Amino acid sequence: MKKNELSKSHTTKWDKEKQIIIHQVDGPYGEEDVNELLKKITEFKKQMPDTNLRLLLDLSDAHDITSQARKMVAGQVYKHPDLQRVSSFGLSTFARVVNKFMIGASGAGSDKVKVFEKESDALKWLKE
């Protein structure tokens, strides 16, 4: 597998209607993918410097997330200075519990990062 193949199945877009960044993970997820997400966040902030950016992580189709990618998400995405809030959904019960532990360990705090079972709950919290 080529280095960039992992990134091809993930999408990151600005949803004008919802006023949020949506990052949909589809398939395996590694360090290169986290770096691409970080670049996109920086691009969105440059395009919209006065906007409080909020990120929705759709992990419904995620699998094989590497340990390094999880560490990078906790340390760099969850704590990203340009993101006001980050919510995720689509994980199994066990994965949600692990993710909640990662949020606590990252020091990002539950006022900035939360994990939800359903997309509707994740969106509602982002808009509060």
Side-chain angles (χ1 to χ4, degrees):
M1 187 177 292
K2 293 180 183 176
K3 186 174 182 178
N4 290 332
E5 276 187 54
L6 293 178
S7 299
K8 292 182 181 176
S9 58
H10 312 302
T11 58
T12 306
K13 65 181 182 179
W14 175 254
D15 187 310
K16 288 181 184 182
E17 180 182 324
K18 294 179 177 110
Q19 294 291 297
I20 59 170
I21 300 168
I22 299 175
H23 182 65
Q24 185 172 0
V25 178
D26 185 8
Y29 202 72
E31 293 173 59
E32 300 87 8
D33 302 304
V34 179
N35 284 326
E36 283 299 313
L37 172 58
L38 293 167
K39 286 179 193 174
K40 290 282 189 178
I41 292 167
T42 300
E43 288 173 18
F44 288 128
K45 190 60 181 179
K46 284 181 182 176
Q47 293 170 7
M48 302 172 283
D50 298 328
T51 302
N52 291 325
L53 297 179
R54 295 167 187 240
L55 173 65
L56 177 67
L57 297 172
D58 178 352
L59 303 173
S60 303
D61 296 319
H63 61 82
D64 298 326
I65 300 172
T66 67
S67 174
Q68 186 60 30
R70 285 191 296 270
K71 288 177 187 175
M72 289 174 70
V73 167
Q76 296 177 42
V77 176
Y78 289 169
K79 296 168 79 173
H80 198 290
D82 291 332
L83 293 175
Q84 184 180 39
R85 283 192 165 181
V86 179
S87 68
S88 63
F89 74 95
L91 296 169
S92 68
T93 301
F94 175 75
R96 280 195 311 274
V97 170
V98 170
N99 207 332
K100 287 177 184 178
F101 175 76
M102 284 175 41
I103 292 165
S106 75
S110 61
D111 59 328
K112 181 173 180 174
V113 183
K114 286 196 178 189
V115 179
F116 297 89
E117 182 178 356
K118 300 177 189 174
E119 179 180 10
S120 59
D121 294 336
L123 282 169
K124 181 180 176 183
W125 180 78
L126 278 178
K127 294 196 169 239
E128 288 179 354

